[in-house]
Amino acid sequence: RTMLDSTEFVVKGIDLLREFLKSEEFIIGIENNKPDAIKKLTETFKDAKDVKIMPLDSVYPQGAKQVLLYNATGLVVQKGQRLASLGTIIINITTLAKMGEYFTTGMPLVERCLTVDGAAVNEPKNVIVPIGTSVKYIIDNCGGLKTEAGKIIFGGPMMGKTVDPLDAPILKATNAV
């Protein structure tokens, strides 16, 4: 499965933010190396005046909150300042979709969308897996390893945590392997 299958839950998540937070504007930032997602969400929200789909350069660390805030809004959060004090919150699109899914179906968080990548991975890709799935199983389903991996990391290269052994499970906060 892909996040493109979860569009209805993204819509529901936006509806919930409108209702409960009284949010007036939504910017969905998507790196420009994901043209299918940009196209799908642009079409989904074409009639929503308060939702803007914003293609962003695919550069590291685009996903960092401060970088994303600046690139999407031009705002800068100062040291010790919280995003909410700027009238802004940042929510990962997967979290938004899961929130919408829970309020629609009652299904709690039982799976995670994550990126599997790295020089040693045969078929890097984004996957949706049940929480608790072993790293080995996921890597095997991404074509295995081309070479022995120097390290297996949960998260990004700068802030990630080394995982050992390969039978370590995916956790609810895991976003990348």
Side-chain angles (χ1 to χ4, degrees):
R1 277 195 321 130
T2 68
M3 277 307 299
L4 295 178
D5 300 327
S6 302
T7 307
E8 69 181 283
F9 298 129
V10 172
V11 171
K12 178 63 175 178
I14 294 282
D15 289 343
L16 290 165
L17 294 176
R18 278 188 191 109
E19 179 180 349
F20 293 111
L21 297 182
K22 307 297 183 216
S23 299
E24 298 173 3
E25 179 183 21
F26 303 89
I27 300 170
I28 300 177
I30 307 172
E31 289 181 321
N32 57 16
N33 65 349
K34 297 167 183 66
D36 292 343
I38 292 169
K39 181 179 176 185
K40 179 72 172 184
L41 289 173
T42 298
E43 177 63 25
T44 298
F45 290 105
K46 70 177 183 237
D47 295 326
K49 303 284 187 238
D50 59 347
V51 179
K52 178 181 180 184
I53 307 305
M54 179 178 286
L56 299 168
D57 289 339
S58 181
V59 295
Y60 183 83
Q62 187 68 268
K65 285 183 181 179
Q66 294 85 351
V67 174
L68 187 56
L69 175 71
Y70 180 76
N71 289 339
T73 68
L75 296 173
V76 175
V77 64
Q78 302 299 319
K79 184 176 180 179
Q81 188 178 23
R82 301 185 81 63
L83 293 175
S85 70
L86 299 172
T88 303
I89 61 171
I90 294 177
I91 298 176
N92 177 289
I93 194 79
T94 303
T95 302
L96 182 67
K98 284 301 183 184
M99 182 176 71
E101 181 178 13
Y102 176 74
F103 276 84
T104 301
T105 68
M107 177 59 77
L109 181 65
V110 295
E111 59 188 10
R112 190 70 179 139
C113 179
L114 54 101
T115 300
V116 183
D117 199 4
V121 178
N122 269 318
E123 299 168 22
K125 59 179 94 171
N126 293 325
V127 296
I128 298 176
V129 299
I131 293 171
T133 303
S134 74
V135 172
K136 181 181 181 340
Y137 181 85
I138 294 167
I139 290 174
D140 286 349
N141 282 279
C142 289
L145 298 174
K146 297 182 224 180
T147 61
E148 185 175 340
K151 289 183 183 177
I152 304 289
I153 300 171
F154 277 1
M158 303 297 274
M159 300 292 288
K161 305 278 189 245
T162 301
V163 178
D164 189 43
L166 281 177
D167 61 354
I170 296 302
L171 308 173
K172 69 179 182 176
T174 306
N175 64 357
V177 175

